Amino acid sequence: MIKTSTHPLDHLVLPTRSLDVARARLTSLGFVVAATGIHPFGTENACVFFADGTYLEPLAVGDGQVAERAIGEGNVFIARDRLYRERLGEEGFSAVALATANADADHMRFVEAGLSAGDILSFSRAFTDTNGKSDTASFKLAFAAGKEAPDAFLFACERVNAPKIDRTALQAHANGVTGIVEVIAVSDAPSAQIGLISTAADAIAAGAGDDTVRLPNAILSVVTPESYAQRFGLPAAPSPRLRFQAIVFSIRDKASAARALAAGAVDHNMSGNDIVIPPAPGQGAAFIFREIP
């Protein structure tokens, strides 16, 4: 069943052991990586921003003691990050964030559906652009997770205060990536998992089709490991649970992207209009570069 949502994709969370490793890997892929951002609850990130308004959030634990204290205080974001790392390791793709104008309303929807992962989280952090100009970014998050989906979660992300800085230079990637067009999750039983994504995205049915939720700016798909392997030539471990597996990026020109990858000595495979890049340390998901006219 294809479903449509009014909640756009905001960003994707990619746990990593080391931001230095993630920064080096993403740079070799032709991405511009922002300065390190420090959270007030023990984690830190090195984001990659795109012209379509979405971004990647490579996430590392910067201060284990602060993170431990945050978990004890009921911080869902840190608790889910810890759970992911304990179950699946330090490198991966743990969460999808959906943009919202009202995280409180989304939280109530999650509670009523029996899919709330815990209390709302409000926080701020400093943000610095490539010219050294700083401002404060503030967020309010509402979390959704299924009892049978401990390896993935989604959250509604309200940007309470967007920093007033110029991100143009951070969005000019050598590989030509302009945004995210699809997020792919894997499960042995896609139809049993699509409900969590549908609830998180506040999606409604729009006719028969695959286990897919169509956001205003991207697609969220759940496929079997077999379908995933056929589509991209990459393995996916069997699991009845939901696991985020791959990210499809839009690129301007496949030849230019291939040159950027070659310059970074990155292994990749060509498949039709796609360039397939397997996961690696600092890159917790498969990256698919797709030329879109």
Side-chain angles (χ1 to χ4, degrees), residues 33-104:
V33 185
T36 298
I38 307 297
H39 292 144
F41 32 73
T43 49
E44 56 189 20
N45 62 27
C47 296
V48 177
F49 296 97
F50 304 118
D52 70 349
T54 64
Y55 64 96
L56 303 179
E57 184 185 13
L59 184 76
V61 178
D63 189 322
Q65 290 185 335
V66 174
E68 190 73 35
R69 185 163 60 249
I71 292 172
E73 294 170 350
N75 186 309
V76 178
F77 185 76
I78 300 302
R80 295 295 307 202
D81 180 69
R82 170 73 61 81
L83 177 63
Y84 185 94
R85 293 173 192 269
E86 289 177 347
R87 288 181 55 81
L88 298 178
E90 296 282 347
E91 306 288 337
F93 177 8
S94 61
V96 169
L98 302 169
T100 184
N102 191 336
D104 292 307

